[in-house]
Amino acid sequence: MGLLVYFKYANFFVENVNNALESLGFNELSWVNVALPIGISFYTFQTLSYAIDIYRGQAVPLKKLHNYLLFIMSFPQMIAGPIVRYNNIATQIVSRKEPFDEKLEGFFRFSIGLAKKVLIANIFAGYTNDVLELGVENITTTTAWVGILAYTFQIYFDFSGYSDMAIGLGKIMGFKFPENFDSPYTSMSITEFWRRWHITLSTWMRDYLYIPLGGNKKSIFLTYRNLILVFLLSGLWHGAMWSFIFWGAYHGLFLILDRLFLKAILAKLGKIPAVLITFFIVMIGWVFFWLEDINLGFYYIIKLFSFENSLTELEIDNQLIFTFIIAVIFSLFTLSMFGKKVEQKLLFPTKWSKGNYVLASLFGLIIYFYCTAEITTQDFNPFIYLRFNYGE
Amino acid sequence: MENRFYRVLIGFVCLVLLFPLIQQISGVIKVKPLEGYIVKEEQPKFSWLNWLDESYQKQLNRYVKQNYGLQPSFVRASNQVQYSLFGNLRARGVLFGKENYLYEENYIKAITGSDFIGDSLIADKVYKLQKITDTLNSLHKKIVVVFAPGKGSFYPEKIPKKYTTKSVTNYKRYTDYMLKNKLNFIDANRWFRDNKGKKEAPLFPQTGVHWSKYGEHLMADSLISYLESLCNVNLPNLILDSLKYQDKKPKDDTDIENGLNLVFSLNSYQTPHVYSHFEALDSLAPRIKGLVVADSYYWGMFNKLFSHNVLGNGQFWYYNEVIYPDAYKEMIKVKDVNLKTEVEKNDVIILMYTDANLPVFANGFINDLYKVYYQ
């Protein structure tokens, strides 16, 4: 934990101390910025779970160093999750089966994740990057709305895509990694949202922080305190910036409001309104997550409701529209029973027929190669002819 | 039994996944290379220094993206999906006009006047050209300007609706000054527009950037006649043997389309293959030597051996930058030669540019030659 604090938060701490010193008229502290090791937030939590689960008697220590390294440095999920807790995977490290049918299922799952990332998230990323490059002050209200909608889907398909790829790769190697997303945008409240979004983080926080603090077993005041604390730390875990802390506090506040009255009201409104309102609340929160600057975040919120349409409007091309349609369908698909059944059959099969394995493999190959083509051609944009545009 | 089925299927999946690597090593399948102007990425040489500063990894990434097995096929498949589903084109500066007419954007800028460089720059250049013409005339040499037609000016009705036309363009201004100063000037742009739909074959292709092979043939023929009259000499005529419509259009007539690197051809009207030859002249007949300073519009004529047969093996200075045919053996650039000496080896200098390149008309040739004679 000390290493995480140092590498991830030392720069943030010193920057804020220096801001305070400067405002008081003192000299700043001199400091060389620390480089952030990739994935440190994820594998730190994994190593913590090893120590805590053994301490709690929930699992036995590994006898061999290479098994411990396998747990810590498992490459599919090491830098971007899902966060795998030791007690969930302890027996799999030392003895696991690697059935051939699960390897094929793993390949299929991997290809779905790859498609989510390359064919959906990356398209939205193109638009959101353009918004940032233009500058929030230069965009119209319409572009601001399209931008935050695009980011809302981008972050979901990007993150869940990585999780799918990690789970798929794990399955190929005989590991059953925990699910990390469960159609979070179908949630009817923020409480439900956090049971469906980044599930491994929220359960880690629940089991290693919230419950040891007392959870909801003590007074209402302490429950609310625990919720805010856990979500402030969740926000801070995401990044060493005030905007992430604010985002965490924002969600913590809505969890408290859920307990007070909000969840009951949303339940009375009915499924679709509750889903839409929750989606809206989450989307507004993403503004601060995306822009990484509190002041800019508030400015963006004002822009969303200012009906400013005389500035620069980014073009919305056919591919973006198509991707929005696909994203909405795939995000909300499991609102229906039919969607749930399809998801169950595709992602969590109890038993596929041989024909299904063939189809899944072919699908995986087509997706894999098409995504490879997209990744390698996204920068491919040649001139027809070499032209010399100088010498006037 | 079931296990065997899964093993076979996994084996098949692994083989397919590995196939690009197999192709890269063995080259077992002949793949048509991609078209367009593609900058080749070099394979980086490893050193600790370039590994630590990340330049090795970045360059290796770029190299692998360009050179993995079956890469052209992947690019074509991806481009085809982008075009078929979304109408996106992956070639810089290329766009669709109405009814699937392809343009490069700079040709549209030329006709809409959005690339207009201003009256004073044009006047200054024509003034210098006039002075150079006078000097060369005194040396019994001629300089001829040819304004080749542009796709935008030939098919203005097909450009996308969002582009609006201004009244002033580089082409109009230059033409006004050329005519006013009575310079040796061929307005092929005007001639092509005046003869649109009147000739036996299309003068411009639907999915190409330059004049059609047939249009180019007519231009070459007209240029020969003009030079004969200007230089008072008999030059080898270009004889049209036949026009043949084939399943595949002439490659040059679909250069924009080829540069899109799609899987399937676009629907477009037919243009014929042109079969022609230069007549042989009496070996003692006086010849002229000609230098051509031009953009890509001259390539077709150059490859048809126009410079060889009509211009006494004269050189082609591509965008006044690279010297052909010498550059085929060893890269030689205009800046490496003595401008005055080289120019004065010729009887005639032809400056051939399309309207889209008029913002950089002659690429510094006029300014440099003016400096040689007058500064």
mmCIF file of all heavy atoms in Angstrom, chain A residues 100 318-319 369-370 373-374 376-377 379 381-388 390-392, chain B residues 16 37 65 68 74-75 78 81-82 90-92 104 125 255 318 321 363-364 367:
data_model
loop_
_atom_site.group_PDB
_atom_site.id
_atom_site.type_symbol
_atom_site.label_atom_id
_atom_site.label_comp_id
_atom_site.label_asym_id
_atom_site.label_seq_id
_atom_site.Cartn_x
_atom_site.Cartn_y
_atom_site.Cartn_z
ATOM 1 N N PHE A 100 -10.644 -28.429 -23.486
ATOM 2 C CA PHE A 100 -10.513 -27.827 -24.818
ATOM 3 C C PHE A 100 -11.737 -26.991 -25.184
ATOM 4 O O PHE A 100 -11.602 -25.960 -25.849
ATOM 5 C CB PHE A 100 -10.274 -28.919 -25.863
ATOM 6 C CG PHE A 100 -8.922 -29.535 -25.764
ATOM 7 C CD1 PHE A 100 -8.752 -30.830 -25.300
ATOM 8 C CD2 PHE A 100 -7.785 -28.815 -26.109
ATOM 9 C CE1 PHE A 100 -7.488 -31.383 -25.181
ATOM 10 C CE2 PHE A 100 -6.524 -29.367 -26.003
ATOM 11 C CZ PHE A 100 -6.373 -30.652 -25.529
ATOM 12 N N ASN A 318 -21.711 9.066 -40.433
ATOM 13 C CA ASN A 318 -22.555 7.857 -40.443
ATOM 14 C C ASN A 318 -22.024 6.794 -39.488
ATOM 15 O O ASN A 318 -22.791 6.085 -38.840
ATOM 16 C CB ASN A 318 -22.607 7.265 -41.857
ATOM 17 C CG ASN A 318 -23.395 8.135 -42.793
ATOM 18 O OD1 ASN A 318 -24.221 8.929 -42.360
ATOM 19 N ND2 ASN A 318 -23.149 8.010 -44.076
ATOM 20 N N GLN A 319 -20.694 6.685 -39.438
ATOM 21 C CA GLN A 319 -20.123 5.643 -38.598
ATOM 22 C C GLN A 319 -20.411 5.911 -37.128
ATOM 23 O O GLN A 319 -20.712 4.995 -36.368
ATOM 24 C CB GLN A 319 -18.609 5.552 -38.817
ATOM 25 C CG GLN A 319 -17.993 4.367 -38.088
ATOM 26 C CD GLN A 319 -16.545 4.147 -38.438
ATOM 27 O OE1 GLN A 319 -15.880 5.021 -38.958
ATOM 28 N NE2 GLN A 319 -16.048 2.969 -38.137
ATOM 29 N N PHE A 369 -9.742 -10.940 -37.043
ATOM 30 C CA PHE A 369 -9.034 -10.420 -38.209
ATOM 31 C C PHE A 369 -9.562 -9.050 -38.624
ATOM 32 O O PHE A 369 -8.796 -8.175 -39.022
ATOM 33 C CB PHE A 369 -9.108 -11.410 -39.379
ATOM 34 C CG PHE A 369 -8.136 -12.547 -39.231
ATOM 35 C CD1 PHE A 369 -8.575 -13.861 -39.210
ATOM 36 C CD2 PHE A 369 -6.787 -12.313 -39.085
ATOM 37 C CE1 PHE A 369 -7.668 -14.902 -39.047
ATOM 38 C CE2 PHE A 369 -5.871 -13.353 -38.924
ATOM 39 C CZ PHE A 369 -6.330 -14.651 -38.895
ATOM 40 N N TYR A 370 -10.869 -8.849 -38.495
ATOM 41 C CA TYR A 370 -11.376 -7.532 -38.869
ATOM 42 C C TYR A 370 -10.856 -6.463 -37.910
ATOM 43 O O TYR A 370 -10.483 -5.364 -38.319
ATOM 44 C CB TYR A 370 -12.909 -7.510 -38.933
ATOM 45 C CG TYR A 370 -13.405 -6.158 -39.351
ATOM 46 C CD1 TYR A 370 -13.104 -5.656 -40.616
ATOM 47 C CD2 TYR A 370 -14.103 -5.333 -38.471
ATOM 48 C CE1 TYR A 370 -13.490 -4.385 -40.997
ATOM 49 C CE2 TYR A 370 -14.500 -4.061 -38.864
ATOM 50 C CZ TYR A 370 -14.189 -3.597 -40.121
ATOM 51 O OH TYR A 370 -14.572 -2.326 -40.501
ATOM 52 N N ALA A 373 -7.384 -5.678 -38.778
ATOM 53 C CA ALA A 373 -7.363 -4.802 -39.953
ATOM 54 C C ALA A 373 -7.662 -3.370 -39.545
ATOM 55 O O ALA A 373 -6.991 -2.432 -39.978
ATOM 56 C CB ALA A 373 -8.382 -5.283 -40.984
ATOM 57 N N GLU A 374 -8.668 -3.194 -38.679
ATOM 58 C CA GLU A 374 -9.031 -1.838 -38.251
ATOM 59 C C GLU A 374 -7.895 -1.181 -37.477
ATOM 60 O O GLU A 374 -7.588 -0.015 -37.680
ATOM 61 C CB GLU A 374 -10.279 -1.881 -37.362
ATOM 62 C CG GLU A 374 -11.570 -1.897 -38.135
ATOM 63 C CD GLU A 374 -11.772 -0.642 -38.964
ATOM 64 O OE1 GLU A 374 -11.761 0.477 -38.389
ATOM 65 O OE2 GLU A 374 -11.921 -0.769 -40.184
ATOM 66 N N THR A 376 -4.718 -1.753 -37.660
ATOM 67 C CA THR A 376 -3.552 -1.432 -38.482
ATOM 68 C C THR A 376 -3.865 -0.447 -39.595
ATOM 69 O O THR A 376 -2.959 0.090 -40.208
ATOM 70 C CB THR A 376 -2.942 -2.707 -39.106
ATOM 71 O OG1 THR A 376 -3.969 -3.392 -39.827
ATOM 72 C CG2 THR A 376 -2.386 -3.609 -38.032
ATOM 73 N N THR A 377 -5.135 -0.182 -39.863
ATOM 74 C CA THR A 377 -5.443 0.780 -40.926
ATOM 75 C C THR A 377 -5.972 2.101 -40.392
ATOM 76 O O THR A 377 -6.203 3.015 -41.167
ATOM 77 C CB THR A 377 -6.484 0.221 -41.921
ATOM 78 O OG1 THR A 377 -7.667 -0.152 -41.210
ATOM 79 C CG2 THR A 377 -5.942 -0.957 -42.673
ATOM 80 N N ASP A 379 -4.426 4.357 -39.003
ATOM 81 C CA ASP A 379 -3.493 5.431 -39.372
ATOM 82 C C ASP A 379 -3.231 5.452 -40.864
ATOM 83 O O ASP A 379 -2.459 6.277 -41.346
ATOM 84 C CB ASP A 379 -2.135 5.207 -38.682
ATOM 85 C CG ASP A 379 -2.296 5.144 -37.184
ATOM 86 O OD1 ASP A 379 -3.243 5.757 -36.683
ATOM 87 O OD2 ASP A 379 -1.480 4.468 -36.535
ATOM 88 N N ASN A 381 -3.774 6.386 -44.317
ATOM 89 C CA ASN A 381 -4.563 7.409 -45.006
ATOM 90 C C ASN A 381 -3.661 8.088 -46.038
ATOM 91 O O ASN A 381 -3.310 9.262 -45.905
ATOM 92 C CB ASN A 381 -5.060 8.423 -43.969
ATOM 93 C CG ASN A 381 -6.172 9.284 -44.510
ATOM 94 O OD1 ASN A 381 -6.766 8.980 -45.534
ATOM 95 N ND2 ASN A 381 -6.450 10.374 -43.835
ATOM 96 N N PRO A 382 -3.241 7.350 -47.086
ATOM 97 C CA PRO A 382 -2.217 7.898 -47.966
ATOM 98 C C PRO A 382 -2.767 8.916 -48.954
ATOM 99 O O PRO A 382 -3.969 8.951 -49.235
ATOM 100 C CB PRO A 382 -1.746 6.649 -48.723
ATOM 101 C CG PRO A 382 -2.958 5.781 -48.789
ATOM 102 C CD PRO A 382 -3.713 6.017 -47.507
ATOM 103 N N PHE A 383 -1.876 9.742 -49.466
ATOM 104 C CA PHE A 383 -2.210 10.560 -50.629
ATOM 105 C C PHE A 383 -2.260 9.629 -51.842
ATOM 106 O O PHE A 383 -1.661 8.575 -51.856
ATOM 107 C CB PHE A 383 -1.133 11.619 -50.871
ATOM 108 C CG PHE A 383 -1.197 12.763 -49.903
ATOM 109 C CD1 PHE A 383 -0.203 12.940 -48.946
ATOM 110 C CD2 PHE A 383 -2.224 13.684 -49.962
ATOM 111 C CE1 PHE A 383 -0.240 14.007 -48.062
ATOM 112 C CE2 PHE A 383 -2.274 14.752 -49.077
ATOM 113 C CZ PHE A 383 -1.280 14.910 -48.126
ATOM 114 N N ILE A 384 -2.989 10.089 -52.857
ATOM 115 C CA ILE A 384 -3.006 9.323 -54.100
ATOM 116 C C ILE A 384 -1.642 9.453 -54.779
ATOM 117 O O ILE A 384 -1.058 8.506 -55.279
ATOM 118 C CB ILE A 384 -4.130 9.806 -55.039
ATOM 119 C CG1 ILE A 384 -5.497 9.653 -54.360
ATOM 120 C CG2 ILE A 384 -4.103 9.063 -56.360
ATOM 121 C CD1 ILE A 384 -5.927 8.221 -54.113
ATOM 122 N N TYR A 385 -1.127 10.690 -54.822
ATOM 123 C CA TYR A 385 0.166 10.956 -55.440
ATOM 124 C C TYR A 385 1.023 11.774 -54.497
ATOM 125 O O TYR A 385 0.516 12.559 -53.704
ATOM 126 C CB TYR A 385 -0.006 11.770 -56.736
ATOM 127 C CG TYR A 385 -0.556 10.990 -57.885
ATOM 128 C CD1 TYR A 385 -1.901 11.078 -58.198
ATOM 129 C CD2 TYR A 385 0.258 10.162 -58.649
ATOM 130 C CE1 TYR A 385 -2.417 10.359 -59.255
ATOM 131 C CE2 TYR A 385 -0.261 9.441 -59.702
ATOM 132 C CZ TYR A 385 -1.599 9.545 -59.992
ATOM 133 O OH TYR A 385 -2.119 8.824 -61.032
ATOM 134 N N LEU A 386 2.341 11.614 -54.644
ATOM 135 C CA LEU A 386 3.267 12.529 -53.996
ATOM 136 C C LEU A 386 3.122 13.877 -54.684
ATOM 137 O O LEU A 386 3.088 13.960 -55.911
ATOM 138 C CB LEU A 386 4.703 12.015 -54.146
ATOM 139 C CG LEU A 386 5.823 12.989 -53.729
ATOM 140 C CD1 LEU A 386 5.694 13.371 -52.266
ATOM 141 C CD2 LEU A 386 7.173 12.363 -54.010
ATOM 142 N N ARG A 387 3.018 14.904 -53.880
ATOM 143 C CA ARG A 387 2.836 16.233 -54.450
ATOM 144 C C ARG A 387 3.772 17.181 -53.728
ATOM 145 O O ARG A 387 3.987 17.059 -52.532
ATOM 146 C CB ARG A 387 1.382 16.655 -54.236
ATOM 147 C CG ARG A 387 1.022 18.006 -54.807
ATOM 148 C CD ARG A 387 -0.466 18.307 -54.611
ATOM 149 N NE ARG A 387 -1.283 17.482 -55.478
ATOM 150 C CZ ARG A 387 -2.160 16.608 -55.044
ATOM 151 N NH1 ARG A 387 -2.337 16.434 -53.762
ATOM 152 N NH2 ARG A 387 -2.867 15.898 -55.878
ATOM 153 N N PHE A 388 4.349 18.121 -54.431
ATOM 154 C CA PHE A 388 5.214 19.097 -53.793
ATOM 155 C C PHE A 388 4.457 20.422 -53.711
ATOM 156 O O PHE A 388 4.141 21.028 -54.725
ATOM 157 C CB PHE A 388 6.511 19.255 -54.603
ATOM 158 C CG PHE A 388 7.317 17.982 -54.641
ATOM 159 C CD1 PHE A 388 7.235 17.119 -55.719
ATOM 160 C CD2 PHE A 388 8.140 17.637 -53.587
ATOM 161 C CE1 PHE A 388 7.964 15.946 -55.753
ATOM 162 C CE2 PHE A 388 8.881 16.462 -53.613
ATOM 163 C CZ PHE A 388 8.789 15.618 -54.711
ATOM 164 N N TYR A 390 5.338 23.349 -52.523
ATOM 165 C CA TYR A 390 6.119 24.522 -52.192
ATOM 166 C C TYR A 390 6.752 25.084 -53.438
ATOM 167 O O TYR A 390 6.631 24.532 -54.520
ATOM 168 C CB TYR A 390 7.184 24.181 -51.146
ATOM 169 C CG TYR A 390 7.984 22.956 -51.506
ATOM 170 C CD1 TYR A 390 9.031 23.010 -52.405
ATOM 171 C CD2 TYR A 390 7.667 21.733 -50.939
ATOM 172 C CE1 TYR A 390 9.747 21.877 -52.736
ATOM 173 C CE2 TYR A 390 8.383 20.591 -51.266
ATOM 174 C CZ TYR A 390 9.421 20.678 -52.163
ATOM 175 O OH TYR A 390 10.110 19.553 -52.482
ATOM 176 N N GLY A 391 7.467 26.168 -53.260
ATOM 177 C CA GLY A 391 8.123 26.769 -54.417
ATOM 178 C C GLY A 391 7.216 27.761 -55.098
ATOM 179 O O GLY A 391 7.023 27.706 -56.300
ATOM 180 N N GLU A 392 6.612 28.646 -54.289
ATOM 181 C CA GLU A 392 5.734 29.616 -54.923
ATOM 182 C C GLU A 392 6.561 30.705 -55.590
ATOM 183 O O GLU A 392 6.119 31.364 -56.461
ATOM 184 C CB GLU A 392 4.813 30.227 -53.857
ATOM 185 C CG GLU A 392 3.836 29.176 -53.375
ATOM 186 C CD GLU A 392 3.193 29.561 -52.067
ATOM 187 O OE1 GLU A 392 3.335 30.713 -51.657
ATOM 188 O OE2 GLU A 392 2.555 28.707 -51.458
ATOM 189 N N VAL B 16 -5.230 -20.764 -38.466
ATOM 190 C CA VAL B 16 -5.724 -19.552 -39.127
ATOM 191 C C VAL B 16 -5.114 -18.311 -38.476
ATOM 192 O O VAL B 16 -4.698 -17.372 -39.156
ATOM 193 C CB VAL B 16 -7.264 -19.496 -39.087
ATOM 194 C CG1 VAL B 16 -7.766 -18.166 -39.622
ATOM 195 C CG2 VAL B 16 -7.853 -20.641 -39.887
ATOM 196 N N TYR B 37 0.378 6.985 -52.603
ATOM 197 C CA TYR B 37 1.712 7.373 -52.174
ATOM 198 C C TYR B 37 1.869 6.985 -50.703
ATOM 199 O O TYR B 37 1.364 7.637 -49.805
ATOM 200 C CB TYR B 37 1.922 8.874 -52.372
ATOM 201 C CG TYR B 37 3.260 9.335 -51.873
ATOM 202 C CD1 TYR B 37 4.428 8.889 -52.478
ATOM 203 C CD2 TYR B 37 3.361 10.189 -50.781
ATOM 204 C CE1 TYR B 37 5.659 9.279 -52.001
ATOM 205 C CE2 TYR B 37 4.601 10.584 -50.308
ATOM 206 C CZ TYR B 37 5.744 10.130 -50.917
ATOM 207 O OH TYR B 37 6.959 10.515 -50.438
ATOM 208 N N LYS B 65 3.074 -2.831 -38.532
ATOM 209 C CA LYS B 65 1.729 -2.500 -39.041
ATOM 210 C C LYS B 65 1.703 -2.463 -40.559
ATOM 211 O O LYS B 65 0.680 -2.672 -41.184
ATOM 212 C CB LYS B 65 1.305 -1.118 -38.518
ATOM 213 C CG LYS B 65 0.528 -1.128 -37.241
ATOM 214 C CD LYS B 65 -0.043 0.271 -36.990
ATOM 215 C CE LYS B 65 -0.746 0.328 -35.677
ATOM 216 N NZ LYS B 65 -1.291 1.667 -35.412
ATOM 217 N N TYR B 68 3.159 -6.813 -41.945
ATOM 218 C CA TYR B 68 2.771 -8.157 -41.533
ATOM 219 C C TYR B 68 2.112 -8.873 -42.712
ATOM 220 O O TYR B 68 1.655 -8.250 -43.676
ATOM 221 C CB TYR B 68 1.863 -8.120 -40.309
ATOM 222 C CG TYR B 68 0.499 -7.508 -40.515
ATOM 223 C CD1 TYR B 68 -0.598 -8.285 -40.848
ATOM 224 C CD2 TYR B 68 0.304 -6.141 -40.337
ATOM 225 C CE1 TYR B 68 -1.842 -7.729 -41.022
ATOM 226 C CE2 TYR B 68 -0.944 -5.573 -40.510
ATOM 227 C CZ TYR B 68 -2.014 -6.373 -40.847
ATOM 228 O OH TYR B 68 -3.245 -5.810 -41.025
ATOM 229 N N PHE B 74 -5.815 -7.118 -45.639
ATOM 230 C CA PHE B 74 -6.503 -6.590 -44.463
ATOM 231 C C PHE B 74 -6.927 -5.148 -44.689
ATOM 232 O O PHE B 74 -8.039 -4.747 -44.345
ATOM 233 C CB PHE B 74 -5.585 -6.651 -43.229
ATOM 234 C CG PHE B 74 -5.522 -7.988 -42.580
ATOM 235 C CD1 PHE B 74 -4.403 -8.786 -42.715
ATOM 236 C CD2 PHE B 74 -6.568 -8.465 -41.829
ATOM 237 C CE1 PHE B 74 -4.341 -10.035 -42.113
ATOM 238 C CE2 PHE B 74 -6.516 -9.708 -41.221
ATOM 239 C CZ PHE B 74 -5.393 -10.493 -41.368
ATOM 240 N N VAL B 75 -6.022 -4.368 -45.258
ATOM 241 C CA VAL B 75 -6.325 -2.955 -45.499
ATOM 242 C C VAL B 75 -7.501 -2.843 -46.458
ATOM 243 O O VAL B 75 -8.434 -2.063 -46.226
ATOM 244 C CB VAL B 75 -5.083 -2.235 -46.075
ATOM 245 C CG1 VAL B 75 -5.454 -0.848 -46.601
ATOM 246 C CG2 VAL B 75 -4.004 -2.110 -45.009
ATOM 247 N N SER B 78 -10.770 -3.808 -44.711
ATOM 248 C CA SER B 78 -11.207 -2.763 -43.784
ATOM 249 C C SER B 78 -11.730 -1.549 -44.547
ATOM 250 O O SER B 78 -12.774 -0.981 -44.214
ATOM 251 C CB SER B 78 -10.016 -2.384 -42.891
ATOM 252 O OG SER B 78 -10.349 -1.290 -42.093
ATOM 253 N N VAL B 81 -15.208 -2.247 -45.997
ATOM 254 C CA VAL B 81 -16.282 -2.172 -45.000
ATOM 255 C C VAL B 81 -16.588 -0.706 -44.670
ATOM 256 O O VAL B 81 -17.751 -0.300 -44.599
ATOM 257 C CB VAL B 81 -15.892 -2.949 -43.718
ATOM 258 C CG1 VAL B 81 -16.867 -2.654 -42.590
ATOM 259 C CG2 VAL B 81 -15.833 -4.435 -43.988
ATOM 260 N N GLN B 82 -15.545 0.083 -44.478
ATOM 261 C CA GLN B 82 -15.728 1.508 -44.170
ATOM 262 C C GLN B 82 -16.505 2.212 -45.281
ATOM 263 O O GLN B 82 -17.389 3.028 -45.020
ATOM 264 C CB GLN B 82 -14.357 2.185 -44.006
ATOM 265 C CG GLN B 82 -13.675 1.899 -42.691
ATOM 266 C CD GLN B 82 -14.355 2.596 -41.540
ATOM 267 O OE1 GLN B 82 -14.769 3.743 -41.635
ATOM 268 N NE2 GLN B 82 -14.515 1.882 -40.443
ATOM 269 N N ARG B 90 -10.640 6.053 -47.246
ATOM 270 C CA ARG B 90 -9.349 6.151 -46.556
ATOM 271 C C ARG B 90 -8.249 6.509 -47.544
ATOM 272 O O ARG B 90 -7.355 5.737 -47.841
ATOM 273 C CB ARG B 90 -9.012 4.830 -45.864
ATOM 274 C CG ARG B 90 -9.734 4.694 -44.536
ATOM 275 C CD ARG B 90 -9.031 3.750 -43.627
ATOM 276 N NE ARG B 90 -9.710 3.614 -42.356
ATOM 277 C CZ ARG B 90 -10.171 2.474 -41.877
ATOM 278 N NH1 ARG B 90 -10.050 1.380 -42.585
ATOM 279 N NH2 ARG B 90 -10.754 2.423 -40.697
ATOM 280 N N ALA B 91 -8.344 7.705 -48.080
ATOM 281 C CA ALA B 91 -7.262 8.248 -48.900
ATOM 282 C C ALA B 91 -7.327 9.746 -48.673
ATOM 283 O O ALA B 91 -8.404 10.341 -48.758
ATOM 284 C CB ALA B 91 -7.452 7.911 -50.367
ATOM 285 N N ARG B 92 -6.176 10.310 -48.400
ATOM 286 C CA ARG B 92 -6.179 11.693 -47.965
ATOM 287 C C ARG B 92 -6.645 12.624 -49.064
ATOM 288 O O ARG B 92 -6.183 12.553 -50.208
ATOM 289 C CB ARG B 92 -4.762 12.078 -47.517
ATOM 290 C CG ARG B 92 -4.767 13.046 -46.370
ATOM 291 C CD ARG B 92 -3.398 13.332 -45.898
ATOM 292 N NE ARG B 92 -2.739 12.133 -45.407
ATOM 293 C CZ ARG B 92 -1.591 12.153 -44.755
ATOM 294 N NH1 ARG B 92 -0.980 13.291 -44.542
ATOM 295 N NH2 ARG B 92 -1.028 11.045 -44.352
ATOM 296 N N GLU B 104 -10.247 14.788 -55.852
ATOM 297 C CA GLU B 104 -9.336 15.181 -54.791
ATOM 298 C C GLU B 104 -9.760 16.586 -54.387
ATOM 299 O O GLU B 104 -10.103 17.406 -55.255
ATOM 300 C CB GLU B 104 -7.883 15.176 -55.272
ATOM 301 C CG GLU B 104 -7.278 13.784 -55.314
ATOM 302 C CD GLU B 104 -5.765 13.820 -55.456
ATOM 303 O OE1 GLU B 104 -5.270 14.441 -56.404
ATOM 304 O OE2 GLU B 104 -5.085 13.212 -54.600
ATOM 305 N N LYS B 125 4.165 36.941 -60.768
ATOM 306 C CA LYS B 125 4.707 35.760 -61.427
ATOM 307 C C LYS B 125 4.610 35.887 -62.945
ATOM 308 O O LYS B 125 5.547 35.520 -63.672
ATOM 309 C CB LYS B 125 3.991 34.503 -60.946
ATOM 310 C CG LYS B 125 4.748 33.229 -61.322
ATOM 311 C CD LYS B 125 4.208 32.011 -60.639
ATOM 312 C CE LYS B 125 4.826 31.806 -59.305
ATOM 313 N NZ LYS B 125 4.441 30.555 -58.673
ATOM 314 N N ASP B 255 -7.082 6.106 -61.209
ATOM 315 C CA ASP B 255 -6.034 6.244 -60.195
ATOM 316 C C ASP B 255 -6.573 6.629 -58.815
ATOM 317 O O ASP B 255 -6.052 6.151 -57.802
ATOM 318 C CB ASP B 255 -4.924 7.187 -60.642
ATOM 319 C CG ASP B 255 -5.433 8.517 -61.152
ATOM 320 O OD1 ASP B 255 -6.649 8.785 -61.039
ATOM 321 O OD2 ASP B 255 -4.622 9.290 -61.690
ATOM 322 N N TYR B 318 9.791 16.930 -62.600
ATOM 323 C CA TYR B 318 8.520 16.669 -61.907
ATOM 324 C C TYR B 318 8.370 17.644 -60.743
ATOM 325 O O TYR B 318 9.178 17.626 -59.806
ATOM 326 C CB TYR B 318 8.500 15.216 -61.447
ATOM 327 C CG TYR B 318 7.256 14.759 -60.721
ATOM 328 C CD1 TYR B 318 5.988 14.968 -61.254
ATOM 329 C CD2 TYR B 318 7.351 14.085 -59.515
ATOM 330 C CE1 TYR B 318 4.850 14.520 -60.593
ATOM 331 C CE2 TYR B 318 6.225 13.631 -58.851
ATOM 332 C CZ TYR B 318 4.972 13.855 -59.401
ATOM 333 O OH TYR B 318 3.844 13.399 -58.758
ATOM 334 N N GLU B 321 11.261 19.457 -59.179
ATOM 335 C CA GLU B 321 11.951 18.909 -58.019
ATOM 336 C C GLU B 321 12.881 17.762 -58.432
ATOM 337 O O GLU B 321 14.076 17.816 -58.197
ATOM 338 C CB GLU B 321 10.908 18.423 -57.000
ATOM 339 C CG GLU B 321 11.443 17.664 -55.814
ATOM 340 C CD GLU B 321 12.071 18.555 -54.757
ATOM 341 O OE1 GLU B 321 11.870 19.780 -54.794
ATOM 342 O OE2 GLU B 321 12.786 18.018 -53.886
ATOM 343 N N ASN B 363 6.319 25.739 -59.298
ATOM 344 C CA ASN B 363 7.122 25.323 -58.121
ATOM 345 C C ASN B 363 8.476 26.034 -58.031
ATOM 346 O O ASN B 363 9.510 25.413 -57.769
ATOM 347 C CB ASN B 363 7.363 23.803 -58.146
ATOM 348 C CG ASN B 363 6.101 23.025 -57.883
ATOM 349 O OD1 ASN B 363 5.482 22.523 -58.821
ATOM 350 N ND2 ASN B 363 5.689 22.928 -56.625
ATOM 351 N N GLY B 364 8.471 27.332 -58.261
ATOM 352 C CA GLY B 364 9.708 28.085 -58.083
ATOM 353 C C GLY B 364 10.564 28.199 -59.323
ATOM 354 O O GLY B 364 11.552 28.957 -59.333
ATOM 355 N N ASN B 367 10.510 31.877 -60.622
ATOM 356 C CA ASN B 367 11.255 32.769 -59.712
ATOM 357 C C ASN B 367 12.756 32.525 -59.808
ATOM 358 O O ASN B 367 13.550 33.464 -59.877
ATOM 359 C CB ASN B 367 10.797 32.561 -58.269
ATOM 360 C CG ASN B 367 9.435 33.177 -58.003
ATOM 361 O OD1 ASN B 367 8.972 34.030 -58.753
ATOM 362 N ND2 ASN B 367 8.793 32.721 -56.943
#
